[in-house]
Amino acid sequence: MKAPKAQKAQTAPKALTAYRPYWAKRFGTAPFLPMSRAEMDALGWDACDIIIVTGDAYVDHPSFGMAVIGRTLEAQGFRVGIIAQPDWQSAEPFKALGPPKLFFGVTAGNMDSMINRYTADRKIRSDDAYTPGNIGGKRPDRASLVYAQRCREAYNEVPIVLGGIEGSLRRIAHYDYWQDKVRRSILVDAKADLLLYGNAERAIVEIAHRLAAREPVGHITDVRGTAFIRRHDDPTAKGWFELDSSEVDLPGRIDEHINPYQTTSEQAEAQGTSCTKEQGDTAVAEPAVKPITFVRPPAAPASGRIALPPREKTVIRLPSYEQVRSDPVLYAHANRVLHLETNPGNARALVQRHGEGKTAREVWINPPPIPLTTAEMDHVFDLPYARSPHPAYADGKGGHDGATKIPAWEMIRFSVNIMRGCFGGCTFCSITEHEGRIIQSRSEDSVIREVEEMRDKVKGFTGVVSDLGGPTANMYRLGCKSPEIEAACRKPSCVYPGICPNLNTDHAPLVKMYRRARSLKGVKKILIGSGLRYDLAVQSPEYVKELVQHHVGGYLKIAPEHTEGGPLSKMMKPGIGAYDRFKAMFDKFSAEAGKEQFLIPYFIAAHPGTSDEDMMNLALWLKRNGFRADQVQTFYPSPMATATAMYHSGLNPLKGIHRDPKRGGETVDIVRGERRRRLHKAFLRYHDPNNWPLLRDALKDMGRADLIGNGKHHLIPTWQPATDGGYQSARRSNSTPAPSAQAARAAQPVKPAKPVKGRILTQHTGLPPRDTGSRPARKPRTR
């Protein structure tokens, strides 16, 4: 049986390089996308076709969203301008480049603006890594919303396309941690014409060409990876088959109740089969286990088989904004359904009503975009980036290393991105919601070309590549062994509770790339700075050996996140046993190379599902293993994350949502309140005398006063030194000044002290300096 045309269209979208270039391509390539009318005049432009408004300083580097989208559109022939970090107090700064011919592209930047501006304790930050000079306050709260409104005020007739990670995480009604309430879709509040979620090259290119062909923006409702607003009685919605999932336990019209949360493996098990087996009927070109469906149409064919509505014309109705705002159970249900509809191979459109009566609006969310092919990834990353901040940010000496240094650029200045996406599915992480779980990898040749270009053109390169990675260091070219199973799978993670048998875990292509890159002339050392998925790494001992012996500069960061099963099950992270196995391999290969190297584990405090006893046990583990955490990470409820749904509702969407406890489901222990959050952080910093009074009281309340004493087996001592309430972190922004010094610090900023020779700047103290390859390596200490 041949696949229907609609299905072919989903699996084989139009390539980025297949479009006919726009007429303005004759102007050529800009050294930097212009930020002023003078730069436009120098390029010979009378106007911009597209203007990107961003909350970040403009850095022309493929790690910055505005540069990737801008250069991708430029390659299509469009004239693209940048308005970076405008003063949002009026519409005048948004008129700096004149009205764009096609549309405004609006983004808050590489981070959600609220996470960028506030700490996990809702305290406003004084710094901003994406701003010259690391100065805070250069963007407003919910920047995408504010920028869109100012663009509309500046030029009312120009379409507005919303994007970036802030748009991705707020595309439906979402819990807002900072206001402690559920907010409407940002599309409704911003009054934008379209919202693009995910890495949007494919969608933005199609939209730009359709607008250039004079198609009204209101007619562009069929692009994957976009969201738009319809009226509830819009005639253009006719012909869609709606599945009602607006109520818990009542998924819609059905002939028999089917679990709407059932995963592929669970469905296969119920049928007495496995998702790794092929279907016996060779006459039907379908996956062995078909994805779960909510309804059976009234008229079944004579054969008796269920006739499914076409996915390209099926929309799932989520609970309305008014419902999820007032009912946390429905919020958790909507979050669960949304996360089950994230696989580009089987996802259906979603719709959520905002408002009631004649003023009601429907937020339609099309299925996720089809991932870029390797050739398309190469095209995007091979574009002519300047790999530098815009000259407008230069200091008095014409460089970017002085007072106007942009910390986020400094961090990735000598790094290379090799892939996108993550199939880990960690519930506290937003990568999957934005980039998706299907890995998109560049070719080895493309990566090597970028390393060579960086070596030859980037000022200040000393021969050390700071990272070859991405969202995860070692998911390059990993993915499902079967395209059919991948297209049907609805599991939120490929590695939890264990590594899926259908997952390819071969690290050989990554090892080959590492070896080729470190053999390049002029490259002294290649470090791996991205977070490592160590449960995958242990599947390839050759990879661990290559990594440990050639790409670790003294220490390697990994993220077990916790040691206890309760919180780990809510995070969808492996048990601490996987860390122990990786550590054994790490120590073995370090010893073989004659190197003394260290692992730096990262942990989360106050995550949903974490009890006080869990944090106590983690503190005991830290002490037994000699770790003194300095940089403490507290759970931060980002919009739309599964862990955020747990935090808001007190329910576990991973287990299904039911109002009747007898039907299943699971409640989650939520760490709320300043005192309990401080306690969980204090357990991570058990060695800080400022935390000892709080820990003593807590241990006594928990019946664990036996852990208070002056022996090695005790967690904290009985004696209390005189403390001023402050502590000095390796990172100045993480330090807590003493109360007596806070007023003086507010009046006059304290200059950071110069680092002590031999001391490293990491989250842990007592480790040796990192070997960057720019100086002679330390000789191993003799024992």
Side-chain angles (χ1 to χ4, degrees):
M1 179 187 296
K2 292 184 178 180
K5 292 182 179 180
Q7 183 177 341
K8 288 184 177 181
Q10 290 181 9
T11 56
K14 190 171 183 178
L16 293 180
T17 54
Y19 290 86
R20 182 179 180 182
Y22 190 57
W23 68 267
K25 191 173 181 65
R26 67 187 66 176
F27 288 102
T29 301
F32 284 89
L33 302 178
M35 293 177 60
S36 66
R37 291 304 296 260
E39 292 176 78
M40 291 170 57
D41 293 341
L43 294 170
W45 298 2
D46 63 333
C48 291
D49 300 308
I50 299 157
I51 295 176
I52 298 174
V53 182
T54 175
D56 292 339
Y58 170 34
V59 179
D60 199 47
H61 187 283
S63 291
F64 285 74
M66 88 291 281
V68 172
I69 294 299
R71 290 297 188 182
T72 298
L73 289 169
E74 181 189 55
Q76 300 291 325
F78 299 104
R79 296 168 294 178
V80 183
I82 301 283
I83 297 179
Q85 298 187 319
D87 181 358
W88 66 92
Q89 303 300 330
S90 74
E92 288 305 312
F94 295 80
K95 300 178 181 179
L97 304 182
K101 297 292 185 182
L102 299 179
F103 64 89
F104 276 111
V106 175
T107 173
N110 278 13
M111 292 178 64
D112 181 277
S113 60
M114 299 301 288
I115 296 176
N116 177 278
R117 296 201 68 214
Y118 294 89
T119 69
D121 296 323
R122 298 189 180 98
K123 296 179 181 178
I124 195 163
R125 301 182 191 272
S126 60
D127 55 359
D128 184 345
Y130 291 89
T131 300
N134 199 23
I135 300 172
K138 291 294 185 179
R139 75 188 81 210
D141 289 357
R142 301 175 185 85
S144 295
L145 192 158
V146 176
Y147 292 161
Q149 292 176 343
R150 287 304 190 195
C151 288
R152 185 71 73 198
E153 183 181 343
Y155 301 108
N156 183 54
E157 72 286 353
V158 176
I160 296 174
V161 178
L162 210 61
I165 195 165
E166 186 162 282
S168 291
L169 301 189
R170 299 171 183 268
R171 58 187 184 259
I172 64 168
H174 55 279
Y175 173 73
D176 187 88
Y177 171 65
W178 303 270
Q179 290 185 329
D180 193 24
K181 71 175 187 180
V182 176
R183 289 180 60 94
R184 299 188 296 184
S185 164
I186 195 172
L187 186 60
V188 175
D189 286 339
K191 298 179 175 60
D193 297 282
L194 282 172
L195 181 149
L196 275 57
Y197 65 92
N199 294 111
E201 293 94 347
R202 198 181 296 286
I204 198 75
V205 166
E206 179 177 349
I207 289 168
H209 281 288
R210 289 171 68 169
L211 289 175
R214 301 184 183 275
E215 182 176 350
V217 68
H219 291 184
I220 303 177
T221 60
D222 58 344
V223 180
R224 295 179 68 108
T226 65
F228 57 93
I229 295 176
R230 274 189 170 125
R231 290 183 178 273
H232 69 282
D233 56 352
D234 194 325
T236 61
K238 291 183 178 179
W240 283 81
F241 192 94
E242 183 176 300
L243 306 178
D244 187 5
S245 191
S246 61
E247 291 293 337
V248 177
D249 297 328
L250 295 174
R253 294 176 296 166
I254 55 177
D255 289 335
E256 59 178 336
H257 286 287
I258 302 176
N259 179 3
Y261 309 122
Q262 194 171 19
T263 64
T264 307
S265 58
E266 290 169 348
Q267 183 184 0
E269 184 178 355
Q271 297 171 350
T273 62
S274 167
C275 63
T276 60
K277 295 180 180 179
E278 301 263 292
Q279 188 176 19
D281 185 3
T282 58
V284 181
E286 295 179 349
V289 180
K290 291 183 292 186
I292 190 68
T293 57
F294 289 106
V295 303
R296 180 183 301 182
S303 65
R305 296 189 61 185
I306 296 177
L308 303 179
R311 286 187 174 273
E312 66 275 9
K313 280 295 182 180
T314 300
V315 62
I316 298 175
R317 177 164 294 281
L318 299 174
S320 70
Y321 159 68
E322 285 72 20
Q323 288 177 294
V324 299
R325 178 185 61 182
S326 59
D327 189 345
V329 175
L330 285 180
Y331 180 89
H333 169 74
N335 182 272
R336 166 102 181 174
V337 174
L338 180 139
H339 281 85
L340 287 174
E341 299 297 331
T342 56
N343 183 348
N346 60 32
R348 289 158 287 203
L350 304 172
V351 62
Q352 186 177 54
R353 180 170 296 185
H354 287 62
E356 298 175 345
K358 294 183 179 179
T359 62
R361 297 292 185 271
E362 306 273 24
V363 175
W364 282 63
I365 303 173
N366 285 326
I370 300 297
L372 298 185
T373 64
T374 295
E376 289 173 318
M377 285 283 287
D378 289 353
H379 166 74
V380 169
F381 281 88
D382 288 348
L383 293 171
Y385 302 97
R387 301 187 68 88
S388 170
H390 190 277
Y393 306 125
D395 55 25
K397 298 180 180 179
H400 301 281
D401 297 317
T404 61
K405 180 187 294 185
I406 301 172
W409 169 70
E410 185 68 22
M411 184 185 305
I412 53 86
R413 184 176 183 179
F414 303 117
S415 69
V416 176
N417 195 321
I418 64 175
M419 47 75 69
R420 283 181 183 167
C422 179
F423 49 71
C426 301
T427 60
F428 55 81
C429 181
S430 301
I431 292 175
T432 301
E433 282 88 345
H434 183 62
E435 295 193 355
R437 64 181 182 135
I438 297 177
I439 303 302
Q440 303 163 67
S441 301
R442 298 170 62 182
S443 70
E444 180 183 306
D445 289 342
S446 175
V447 173
I448 296 301
R449 281 197 300 270
E450 185 171 349
V451 174
E452 292 175 329
E453 183 181 22
M454 184 171 62
R455 175 197 63 191
D456 299 337
K457 298 181 181 179
V458 177
K459 182 180 178 181
F461 182 71
T462 62
V464 180
V465 178
S466 61
D467 190 22
L468 285 184
T472 305
N474 59 319
M475 286 188 182
Y476 179 76
R477 292 196 178 280
L478 302 189
C480 192
K481 298 175 183 177
S482 167
E484 291 79 14
I485 293 176
E486 181 179 64
C489 184
R490 293 163 64 82
K491 292 180 63 177
S493 172
C494 299
V495 291
Y496 183 85
I499 296 177
C500 177
N502 295 315
L503 182 66
N504 166 35
T505 60
D506 182 15
H507 286 57
L510 188 55
V511 172
K512 182 173 178 287
M513 179 192 294
Y514 284 177
R515 291 172 177 169
R516 181 178 173 188
R518 65 182 170 88
S519 68
L520 291 175
K521 184 179 180 180
V523 174
K524 298 177 183 177
K525 193 173 187 65
I526 293 180
L527 299 170
I528 303 304
S530 299
L532 185 78
R533 190 79 194 199
Y534 54 86
D535 53 343
L536 284 173
V538 296
Q539 304 297 314
S540 296
E542 182 185 14
Y543 169 75
V544 179
K545 183 176 182 179
E546 169 72 20
L547 174 75
V548 171
Q549 297 188 349
H550 298 283
H551 304 283
V552 175
Y555 60 89
L556 179 71
K557 63 182 181 181
I558 57 175
E561 308 298 3
H562 218 284
T563 59
E564 305 306 296
L568 288 174
S569 68
K570 308 305 181 295
M571 301 176 187
M572 290 208 301
K573 291 285 288 186
I576 197 66
Y579 166 83
D580 294 333
R581 290 191 295 274
F582 179 77
K583 184 178 186 303
M585 297 178 70
F586 181 90
D587 292 342
K588 173 187 173 184
F589 292 129
S590 294
E592 288 180 1
K595 296 182 177 181
E596 188 178 26
Q597 301 184 135
F598 301 84
L599 286 177
I600 299 182
Y602 284 73
F603 298 95
I604 294 180
H607 190 278
T610 307
S611 66
D612 298 349
E613 289 74 14
D614 289 331
M615 292 306 301
M616 177 190 71
N617 291 332
L618 173 54
L620 292 171
W621 185 92
L622 289 171
K623 185 167 185 177
R624 282 197 308 270
N625 288 274
F627 289 115
R628 292 192 169 194
D630 185 30
Q631 181 184 339
V632 175
Q633 182 180 4
T634 308
F635 171 66
Y636 206 150
S638 59
M640 217 173 82
T642 299
T644 302
M646 296 180 193
Y647 179 88
H648 174 57
S649 67
L651 301 173
N652 184 3
L654 300 174
K655 297 294 185 181
I657 304 299
H658 303 281
R659 293 193 185 277
D660 184 359
K662 296 180 181 179
R663 297 200 60 182
E666 180 184 7
T667 58
V668 179
D669 181 13
I670 304 302
V671 185
R672 294 184 183 274
E674 181 180 355
R675 185 185 184 281
R676 196 169 178 216
R677 285 174 69 88
R678 283 198 305 114
L679 173 61
H680 283 215
K681 291 170 65 177
F683 271 120
L684 279 180
R685 286 184 48 79
Y686 66 91
H687 54 281
D688 185 351
N690 292 298
N691 292 328
W692 292 350
L694 176 62
L695 291 175
R696 285 194 198 97
D697 292 341
L699 289 173
K700 291 175 183 177
D701 292 340
M702 296 163 63
R704 293 306 307 270
D706 59 296
L707 294 176
I708 304 172
N710 302 323
K712 291 184 177 180
H713 63 283
H714 294 113
L715 183 63
I716 55 174
T718 55
W719 55 276
Q720 181 66 38
T723 60
D724 59 9
Y727 75 92
Q728 182 65 41
S729 166
R731 289 180 57 189
R732 183 169 62 93
S733 60
N734 289 330
S735 299
T736 299
S740 59
Q742 289 184 7
R745 184 176 182 179
Q748 184 175 5
V750 179
K751 294 183 179 180
K754 293 183 178 180
V756 178
K757 185 176 181 181
R759 181 177 300 170
I760 65 165
L761 303 181
T762 72
Q763 81 165 84
H764 292 288
T765 57
L767 298 182
R770 180 169 182 165
D771 179 13
T772 64
S774 59
R775 55 176 174 75
R778 288 182 57 202
K779 295 181 179 179
R781 286 187 293 179
T782 58
R783 296 187 181 275

